[in-house]
Each structure stands twice: as structure tokens, then as C-alpha cells.
Amino acid sequence: MQYGYFDEKAREYVITNPNTPAPWANYLGSPDYGAIITVNAGGYSFVKSGAAGRITRYIFNQFDEPGRYIYLRDEETGEFWSASWRPVRKPLEEYKTECRHGTSYTEFISEYKGIRSRALYYVPMGATHEVWRISLENLSGRPRKISVFGYVEFTCDSFYTQDLVNMQYTQFITRTDFKDSFILEHINEFCHVNPDGSNGSERFFGVAGAKVASYTGRRDAFLGRQRFDAPQAVLDGKCDNSLNYNGNPCGALQVSLDLFAGEKKTAAFLMGQKTESQAKEIIARYDDTEKTVNAELAELIAYWHGELENLKVKTPDARFDSMVNTWNAFQCFTTFVWSRAASLIYCGERNGYGYRDTVQDIQGIIHLDPELARKQLTFMLSAQVHHGAGLPLVKYSHNAGHEDTPEQESYVRETGHPHYRADDALWLFPTVYKYVAETGNTAYLDEEIPFADKDTGTVREHLKRAINFSMTHLGTHGMPAGLHADWNDCLRLGATGESVFVAFQLYYALRIMQEFCKNEPDYVKYLQDEAEKLLKIINENCFEDDRYIRGFTEDGQIIGSKKDNEASMWMNPQSWAVISGGATPEQADVILQTAYDKLNTPYGVELMTPAYRYEAFDGAAMILFNPGTKENGGIFCQIQGWAILAEALRGHGDRAFQYFAESSPASFNEDADRRVIEPYVHGQFIEGHDSPYAGRSHVHWLTGTASTVMVGCVEGILGLRPTIEGINICPAIPAEWDGFTMEKVFRGKQLKITVDNAAHKQGNPEKIVLNGEERPAGLIKDSELKDVNYITVVM
Ligand code: GLC
């Protein structure tokens, strides 16, 4: 079933049937003030941490409640509904509605009994409060008396677990006040009081643009013995002006918006963690509600659409375009900014950045905003320990040069991470390369950055030490040891066991470094020798005519041999053999074919197969999961990006695009019940063939999938491959496409690219025409580019 569509022009996903199979969500604000909002107006808000800074309550894994509710009540008939379909749920035949999820805002436009409502939710740029603008328009041709009730359920305590389960404490620390236009919640009111009388944990819920007709700060008074579909206050037509003292607080405000025929009126509910005087000041800013809101919305849209401007594609596949131009890109920014902080399935327990996750996330935005990417990249380099490894968890409070490391008990106590991972710092190589190639800023390699614990060095020095870390942690055959995990969190290969995936990552790193260290011939020689040696070891020990194995355990057992009954075929060693340049063309084609034959499903490639059931080795933690799920033979979505890229690098456009299409959220727009989660964002995994629910996806929004699939599409399918000298444009597209166009900003210059596929090829273009001059396909040097360039790529 289909629930909505992509409005490509507005860069919105429009949900026209709100009865979606899961709460389809959007992200507002930033982790400084973050808000998740769903099609049901469900979700929660927090300051800095979803776990420790929670200001509104949300019950996970239940009915997508509570939320940011706006009830509308016809005062003549007593009938009421909500600005979003839920919570009241009027029959959809009479209640016309759409939920427009945009880039950092969500708007519900509904019409019921002649009243059109527009409820717009957003966090203004750089602000730490949220806005719910409600506009009503009377289309009924007669005067109407409409009451609007705004409702939010505050937590009693910023620690959400405390709020939910330690009620002998949290129910007795809060009270609410009413101050003309807002409810103010106090927590631990008489503790840590500042000179201005506040203690910094106050939250407010206020209204601008209309006078408060009634209020309550008590959830029980608002709801009575009802639930959210018919709260007592809304049934009664007024709140009882009571305040909370112990028990559950809330913010509930009634305003009257009486409308002549054809008249429109606007008010705005405002909310945040603010003191009384800050709340007053914020509310005053919205006196001229429409004006302020319109200006703030325009600013938000300009910012976000600006961020997405650097690459625009128009291909024969509208869904591919929607994903690359808007939704995958917006998701990349969301993972970049939010990391794994908060969603509807986790909410900030991690309290820091995972090393590999963040370095991968950066890759997803380099083609759009390389300078923003650089800042985070520098931060991550500063989280490398002096010996080259990445800190497994980089605290939000990271203080480069002064951090403890997993060698120290204090770090372990604080983060729970006693071990290094084999892959963490190796992600730096492709990420630094992509940044330098996108911008041409080779001077970055000479930038001095501190290490996490002690010492400082240039970016190049940081990378050398990362190589050194791998070279001093080799296993029995001389390949990188698997340590506590490689990319796969469930694969514990230990201090002497080895990971073929990481071996290819290291091989790739050794190659990239040769380009970065051109002026150091001795070091380049070392890199070349080590790369050659490593490849030889890999080929001698890990290649089984149609596949690479996955690795070795500490006791020498092979993982991923074709002789095995379980887990005999793994995707990542195959895709990375190609991406790293380690596989010969012949090997590449064979292993990619085996991968396709053994791992492909209608919903993407499985991470490995057959899933573990009876023969898992001790370090195979994925056995915990049901077969066909997550790392145990699930369709891990992140690896689709590498599969797309590997096929594209071989010029296999049909296959690359097939992998994209099979697992792309947008492909399920019409079959959304199968996928369940949003058809506009990637999830972490899709259930594989072992599951009775194959095709169902999970763990929405904050996942490494966003960046790998983005890279697969941009570098792979679209073939935009910057190098240090310039850019290669080498599309790998379905043979049936006649061609496509794209516009890209590259090092400040406009590239207006037309790909001509009259030849109906899949890859390996023949020639290019650069500003009227024809030549064989290949590198376009930076120095050849004008401010605006017309480029035709002939396939
Ligand atoms: C999760 C983790 C990521 C890991 C992946 C595979 O997505 O966040 O770090 O690489 O699982 O195990």
C-alpha cells in the first residue's frame, strides 16, 4: 500500500494516508535542541542528550504517544479533532490531511468540517526552543468559534529512565506555574538556585498570537480518566486552570480563534528548557506570529536547501533522484550532526561518537559541504590515540590532548570500552582522501592536529600512525588482527585472528598514502612493499577461486570458507577487494558474481549466508540474533553502498543500479507495508530470506547506511570521482537509460554535465566533450575548468 509521495520540488515527503505501518518520523533542530516528530505528531524533545536531557515524555515501542498535540474544538457543536490525524483519529473520509516532512520542519495540513488547519513544527536555526505554529482558515462560509488546545507532556526529570521508572523520586520533584502566556515547569526548584532565582532546569510551554483562555499544568487534569483521543479538558471545552504539585506535569493551553467566513488566524505554541525570563523573551519574539514564523521558516529552508544545492541530478529514475537530491542527502546530514544520538529506538545512551561510524558519516556530506566535513574530520583525527588507533568512543566532551584511553581504567569505567577495533582509524584514509580530492586542499595534509591523549602531528602524521597501528597489530599470517571487532561489531577475531575485510582496508590505506606522501620516496617505497606483501598474503591464504574468505580465528579456523556449512559466503571481503583495488579485474568479476548468486535477494544483498545456527565459533556474536537478522545473515543496509560501488567501479551499471533499487527506501513507496519504516530514509538492516518477514526494515534514520549508499550512488552510479588533480566522470548506469544530466559544484566551479547513453552501455564512457572540446574519457584537470563548464560524457 502507498501512503505518500515525494514532492521533489519542495523537497518534502508528503504523507497522504496517515495510517502508516510505523510512526514515520522527521528530525527537527540539532542535538543542542533536538526534536523528533512523527506523522502522528508523536516523538520527543531534548536538550543535548535524548537520555540525559529529555524534556518531553515518549513511550518507546508503544503507540507513538505522547506527542505535540494540537486539538481543535468547535465551540458551537462541541465536536473536536486534532491538527494531525492522531490522536483524535477522525474518519479519513471526512478528515482530509497531509503530513509534509521537509528538511528540518514538518507541517500537517488538514481540513475538517470547513476548517483548514496548518500545524507547522520546527526549531529555528541555531535556536534551542521549538515552535508549533497553528493557522486556521474558515472555509465553511459562516462564522465559527474554534478553541485550540496545545498539549505537551513534560518529563519530571531530565534522565528519561528516571522519569519512567524511578517514580518514588521523580514524581515528587516538580511543580508547574502559570505566567500569563505560559506554563513553567520547575524541577528540584530549591536546589542549585542561581542569583536570578532559576536553577536552569525549568521548561516552558507558551503561546503567542492569542490570549490564554484556560490552562493546566497537570496531566491528570487535562486527560481526566480519558486518553489522548478524547482528553477531559477538550471534552469539557476548557482546562480547569489547575497546576501540578507532585505527579505528572504537562503544558496545556487553550486559546480561542473565532473566525469569520473566509478568515484566517495564526497562533504559535512555543516550548523549551528556559527560565521564566527567557521564556517571556522568546514568546514576545512571536508577537507578530506570521511574520516571525515565515522569516524563520524561510531561513531554515534556505539553509537546508542550500546545503543540498552542490549536486543536483535528473535521471530517468525519479526515485533515485529524490533519494540522491534530497532524502538520502538530508539523512546524511542528520547522521553527520546527530551521530547515533536519538531516534524512536534509541535515545542517547551512547553519550559520544563511535569512531568508525562518525568517520564514515563524514563521507556522506563531503560532496555537498566539504568544509563542514573537514571540521568534523579534524575533530575525529584529534580523537586518535598517539599510537594511531581511534578511541572506540569519543566523548561529546572530548578534550584533545588530555583524554584517557582504553589502556586506562578511568576510560573504561566511563565509556565501557576496554578494547580497540581493527578498523576504526582505517576509515580515515578514504575520508581524508575524499575531502582532499573534493576540495583540492592538499595543504590539509600538513595541518597540525593534536592526538587524543598526548602529542601532536600533521594529518599526514596521523595517517602514518594509523598505518603503524595496523602494522603492529598483525595476526598469524601477517594480516591485520581482527581485535575486538572489525567493521562488523559481532565478529571478534581477537589479537591473533585476522580479518580479510580489514586487510583490504589496510591495502587501500597503503595505496592512498602513496599519493599523500609523494615527497617521501623512502616512505613510499615502504608503503609499496608492504602493500605488495599484504596482497600476496591475502591471495595466498584467503582466495578460494570464487570468493575471498572472511578471516581466521585465533586458533586458525577459517571463517567464510566455501566448505563451511554456515557463513560460507560474506559480502564485505568481496566488495572491499574491489574497492581497495586489491582484486584483479578477473578476480573482481568472479567474486562479485558469486556474491550476486549467493547473497542477493529481492531486497538487497545479505551480509553473509547461511546464517549461523549450529556452527558459530566463539567470537561470532551474531548468533544472538535470529537468522536473517542484523549481522546474522540480514540484509545489512550499509553494505549495499559498498556493493553498489564495487559493481560500479567494474563498470557494471545494471548490477550497481539493481543493488540500489532493491534496497532503496523509495522502491518501497508503493509496497510500504512490507518495509514498514519510512520509504524516504534508510534503515540499518532489512530482514533477509530466513525471516518470515523478509523485506521488513529496522532502525531508521541514524545509520551508517546513509553515507555508504550515498557514496555508492555519487561515486559509483553517477561516477563523480574526484582525484587530487581534478575529477573523473565515469558513470555506471543501467544500459536502458538514454542518459541523464547533473549539476555539480566542484571546487567553486559549476559543472553542467550531460551523460549521453545513446550507445546503451553500462559503464566505461568513451569520450567527453569539455566546453566544446572533445577528447577520450578520463581525468578533467582542475586547471582546465572555467567558472561554468558544459560537459558531455559519451558512454
Ligand atoms: C552498527 C554499528 C556500526 C557497525 C555495524 C556492523 O551499524 O553502529 O558501527 O559497523 O553495526 O556491525
Side-chain angles (χ1 to χ4, degrees):
M1 179 140 170
Q2 181 171 348
Y3 297 86
Y5 65 94
F6 291 88
D7 180 341
E8 179 63 5
K9 214 157 157 228
R11 297 193 190 269
E12 291 173 340
Y13 186 83
V14 187
I15 300 169
T16 46
N17 177 351
N19 202 7
T20 52
W24 289 358
N26 197 12
Y27 278 71
L28 314 180
S30 72
D32 280 340
Y33 185 97
I36 298 171
I37 183 159
T38 71
V39 61
N40 305 320
Y44 60 89
S45 304
F46 64 88
V47 175
K48 298 222 187 301
S49 162
R54 271 292 275 284
I55 62 177
T56 71
R57 198 174 273 164
Y58 181 78
I59 311 298
F60 275 67
N61 201 15
Q62 273 290 327
F63 308 110
D64 193 22
E65 289 174 350
R68 301 172 179 83
Y69 296 146
I70 299 177
Y71 297 90
L72 306 177
R73 185 177 194 271
D74 184 326
E75 290 303 342
E76 275 153 10
T77 62
E79 196 184 6
F80 60 90
W81 59 101
S82 40
S84 45
W85 179 55
R86 283 171 196 266
V88 177
R89 283 205 287 173
K90 284 289 177 191
L92 285 169
E93 305 79 61
E94 291 172 73
Y95 181 91
K96 296 295 157 219
T97 186
E98 53 183 43
C99 164
R100 292 185 158 260
H101 283 318
T103 48
S104 216
Y105 63 88
T106 287
E107 185 169 30
F108 296 89
I109 304 170
S110 304
E111 210 177 298
Y112 185 71
K113 300 272 167 87
I115 298 294
R116 178 180 296 151
S117 58
R118 301 175 77 106
L120 170 74
Y121 295 83
Y122 67 94
V123 175
M125 281 299 296
T128 48
H129 67 270
E130 69 185 76
V131 181
W132 316 354
R133 185 226 52 206
I134 176 77
S135 289
L136 298 186
E137 185 178 357
N138 180 0
L139 306 174
S140 65
R142 60 190 168 85
R144 302 285 291 273
K145 283 185 176 314
I146 306 291
S147 274
V148 179
F149 294 80
Y151 173 83
V152 67
E153 188 163 325
F154 289 126
T155 53
C156 294
D157 189 282
S158 301
F159 291 91
Y160 92 103
T161 43
Q162 290 287 305
D163 176 60
L164 292 180
V165 298
N166 191 14
M167 288 164 30
Q168 61 81 25
Y169 165 67
T170 52
Q171 293 268 311
F172 311 108
I173 60 174
T174 168
R175 76 172 185 96
T176 52
D177 245 349
F178 176 66
K179 307 274 178 187
D180 297 335
S181 58
F182 61 100
I183 297 280
L184 188 71
E185 181 197 16
H186 296 277
I187 300 172
N188 307 128
E189 188 178 357
F190 298 102
C191 303
H192 310 294
V193 180
N194 298 317
D196 69 354
S198 79
N199 69 1
S201 44
E202 294 84 355
R203 295 89 179 262
F204 82 102
F205 181 70
V207 68
K211 276 212 154 38
V212 173
S214 75
Y215 63 85
T216 176
R218 282 174 65 212
R219 185 188 74 177
D220 295 354
F222 184 76
L223 280 181
R225 303 216 163 86
Q226 305 295 318
R227 298 197 45 177
F228 292 113
D229 57 348
Q232 193 60 50
V234 182
L235 285 168
D236 293 346
K238 59 178 188 331
C239 302
D240 67 356
N241 296 352
S242 61
L243 289 167
N244 184 56
Y245 193 92
N246 299 331
N248 293 301
C250 76
L253 299 171
Q254 178 191 17
V255 298
S256 303
L257 294 186
D258 296 345
L259 300 160
F260 297 117
E263 198 184 9
K264 264 193 215 171
K265 273 188 183 162
T266 297
F269 294 104
L270 301 153
M271 182 176 104
Q273 178 166 301
K274 299 287 172 187
T275 64
E276 181 179 342
S277 59
Q278 290 169 332
K280 272 197 187 127
E281 190 270 316
I282 289 170
I283 294 168
R285 268 188 245 164
Y286 294 83
D287 269 352
D288 191 342
T289 312
E290 289 237 13
K291 196 168 152 216
T292 309
V293 168
N294 289 345
E296 288 181 341
L297 180 66
E299 193 188 359
L300 259 190
I301 291 177
Y303 173 78
W304 280 109
H305 290 195
E307 284 296 81
L308 307 179
E309 271 304 282
N310 265 10
L311 175 67
K312 284 187 279 192
V313 306
K314 190 152 182 25
T315 72
D317 194 293
R319 289 175 182 174
F320 178 83
D321 299 353
S322 291
M323 291 309 295
V324 171
N325 290 334
T326 300
W327 283 99
N328 192 1
F330 183 58
Q331 188 179 2
C332 281
F333 277 105
T334 308
T335 59
F336 177 85
V337 174
W338 291 64
S339 187
R340 304 297 175 270
S343 73
L344 297 187
I345 34 181
Y346 43 59
C347 76
E349 283 85 354
R350 202 190 250 185
N351 202 23
Y353 298 97
Y355 203 90
R356 82 166 75 91
D357 290 355
T358 302
V359 179
Q360 289 167 357
D361 291 344
I362 295 168
Q363 293 186 13
I365 67 153
I366 289 176
H367 66 296
L368 296 173
D369 190 344
E371 291 316 310
L372 185 64
R374 181 179 51 83
K375 283 191 199 127
Q376 189 71 352
L377 185 52
T378 300
F379 174 78
M380 292 311 289
L381 284 158
S382 85
Q384 224 184 328
V385 181
H386 75 279
H387 52 52
L391 283 175
L393 190 84
V394 187
K395 294 177 226 158
Y396 290 134
S397 61
H398 179 70
N399 184 7
H402 306 280
E403 288 294 336
D404 298 345
T405 66
E407 283 87 352
Q408 285 153 299
E409 213 196 299
S410 47
Y411 179 85
V412 179
R413 216 181 316 116
E414 209 181 328
T415 65
H417 289 282
H419 303 289
Y420 291 108
R421 278 121 178 96
D423 65 320
D424 275 343
L426 290 174
W427 293 103
L428 291 168
F429 293 86
T431 306
V432 172
Y433 185 83
K434 285 177 206 302
Y435 166 72
V436 171
E438 182 70 33
T439 57
N441 179 14
T442 46
Y444 183 60
L445 298 170
D446 297 312
E447 199 169 305
E448 212 40 52
I449 297 173
F451 287 91
D453 51 339
K454 59 175 182 198
D455 238 354
T456 133
T458 62
V459 170
R460 206 180 268 111
E461 177 63 23
H462 277 256
L463 297 177
K464 284 182 180 174
R465 293 201 194 175
I467 288 190
N468 215 35
F469 181 82
S470 295
M471 297 305 293
T472 50
H473 290 80
L474 298 176
T476 317
H477 298 84
M479 299 192 305
L483 305 184
H484 188 64
D486 61 13
W487 165 86
N488 189 324
D489 272 336
C490 296
L491 206 54
R492 314 256 151 92
L493 296 168
T496 55
E498 293 158 306
S499 159
V500 176
F501 181 6
V502 179
F504 280 122
Q505 274 194 296
L506 176 60
Y507 179 75
Y508 194 26
L510 293 167
R511 284 186 51 216
I512 289 172
M513 274 306 263
Q514 294 174 39
E515 277 205 61
F516 284 170
C517 298
K518 278 203 174 116
N519 299 333
E520 299 171 59
D522 291 350
Y523 189 61
V524 170
K525 176 81 175 58
Y526 161 80
L527 295 167
Q528 281 168 346
D529 290 350
E530 289 304 333
E532 210 174 295
K533 212 159 83 192
L534 180 60
L535 196 57
K536 194 154 172 269
I537 297 173
I538 299 173
N539 277 324
E540 279 174 7
N541 297 284
C542 310
F543 187 65
E544 282 187 346
D545 16 289
D546 67 348
R547 74 196 64 189
Y548 284 100
I549 61 163
R550 185 64 174 83
F552 296 95
T553 61
E554 293 210 302
D555 57 11
Q557 194 188 320
I558 296 179
I559 307 301
S561 165
K562 60 158 79 165
K563 298 186 208 90
D564 292 346
N565 295 321
E566 296 182 353
S568 57
M569 176 67 191
W570 295 67
M571 187 66 214
N572 289 337
Q574 325 311 328
S575 51
W576 273 82
V578 180
I579 293 168
S580 67
T584 62
E586 297 72 35
Q587 281 176 317
D589 289 350
V590 170
I591 60 182
L592 291 179
Q593 187 58 39
T594 316
Y596 182 76
D597 294 341
K598 305 269 179 209
L599 297 169
N600 191 45
T601 76
Y603 314 111
V605 277
E606 292 176 341
L607 178 132
M608 54 83 151
T609 203
Y612 280 121
R613 288 180 169 85
Y614 309 107
E615 299 186 17
F617 68 103
D618 282 349
M622 60 286 273
I623 185 91
L624 293 166
F625 297 120
N626 287 331
T629 306
K630 290 186 66 121
E631 285 92 338
N632 197 14
I635 300 164
F636 220 85
C637 299
Q638 216 184 342
I639 72 170
Q640 312 306 309
W642 301 326
I644 294 168
L645 183 60
E647 291 287 3
L649 289 171
R650 294 292 309 132
H652 303 159
D654 279 335
R655 189 68 57 78
F657 196 80
Q658 182 183 349
Y659 284 156
F660 165 80
E662 284 170 355
S663 60
S664 179
S667 302
F668 292 86
N669 199 42
E670 276 106 67
D671 189 15
D673 293 291
R674 174 175 296 281
R675 190 167 188 277
V676 180
I677 64 170
E678 298 90 337
Y680 48 93
V681 284
H682 290 280
Q684 183 200 62
F685 77 99
I686 298 168
E687 291 175 60
H689 79 274
D690 281 312
S691 163
Y693 302 101
R696 185 168 61 178
S697 188
H698 300 271
V699 194
H700 66 168
W701 279 98
L702 301 182
T703 152
T705 312
S707 65
T708 62
V709 174
M710 185 50 113
V711 171
C713 291
V714 174
E715 284 185 32
I717 294 171
L718 299 173
L720 293 168
R721 299 178 197 157
T723 71
I724 292 175
E725 292 79 33
I727 186 167
N728 273 304
I729 308 174
C730 215
I733 51 175
E736 65 174 35
W737 284 9
D738 294 328
F740 67 97
T741 59
M742 49 189 166
E743 284 181 35
K744 170 160 175 68
V745 179
F746 179 65
R747 302 188 188 174
K749 311 212 166 108
Q750 299 276 339
L751 311 186
K752 294 180 182 289
I753 304 163
T754 302
V755 175
D756 169 354
N757 196 24
H760 291 285
K761 285 173 60 185
Q762 295 186 46
N764 304 319
E766 289 289 316
K767 56 185 182 193
I768 50 175
V769 186
L770 170 64
N771 297 323
E773 284 183 34
E774 192 179 305
R775 63 203 225 190
L779 180 73
I780 300 176
K781 285 202 183 138
D782 187 340
S783 54
E784 298 176 279
L785 291 172
K786 302 178 182 169
D787 288 347
V788 181
N789 302 275
Y790 295 89
I791 302 170
T792 304
V793 178
V794 183
M795 299 291 286

